Amino acid sequence: MVTLTQLTTQTLYDQDYYLWIRTTINQLRAGQFSAIDLENLLEELETIGRSEKRAIKSLLIKLLEHLLKLKCWDKERERNQGHWKGEIRTFRTQIKDELKDSPSLKPYILEIFDECYQDARKLVSDRSELSLDIFPLTPIASLEQILDENWFPEI
């Protein structure tokens, strides 16, 4: 049986998302569990989990792109290596922060490492107009090295 309160919060979800969030938080804090729009709450929690995974994947690809640029893009290295190293440090810090907040994502990052490396190869090839063959087919380092704040590829 659907109650009037459930209909109200479901409608609120569609009409004013932020107010729905505030209302749901207040209901949880007050222990008003029967009033909670459970269907939309569960959907939002699932979405948050997917977003966390997408963020880690995106950061890892960007990190790998910049490491590949540094290692392989000879023509632009002298002019851009300072910027690339800065970006590498930034992406490492962001990944470290994400993993600190959600340590259970550590196995996931290992799971997607090879896929992210191949994606990074293609992206950096497209953006640099260098042949894909210039970028090593296998990762240029282990995930541990890639995430190590003091490691940079040999040039």
Side-chain angles (χ1 to χ4, degrees), residues 97-149:
D97 290 347
E98 291 285 333
L99 292 177
K100 185 178 177 184
D101 288 343
S102 300
S104 63
L105 287 174
K106 286 180 183 176
Y108 176 70
I109 200 168
L110 185 57
E111 177 186 320
I112 62 169
F113 179 65
D114 289 330
E115 175 189 343
C116 289
Y117 180 78
Q118 296 307 320
D119 290 346
R121 282 181 71 236
K122 293 172 193 165
L123 287 167
V124 76
S125 174
D126 291 345
R127 292 178 180 154
S128 66
E129 298 179 6
L130 294 172
S131 168
L132 186 60
D133 298 340
I134 289 175
F135 304 101
L137 187 59
T138 58
I140 59 174
S142 68
L143 177 60
E144 184 178 345
Q145 287 173 304
I146 297 289
L147 297 177
D148 181 343
E149 66 184 43

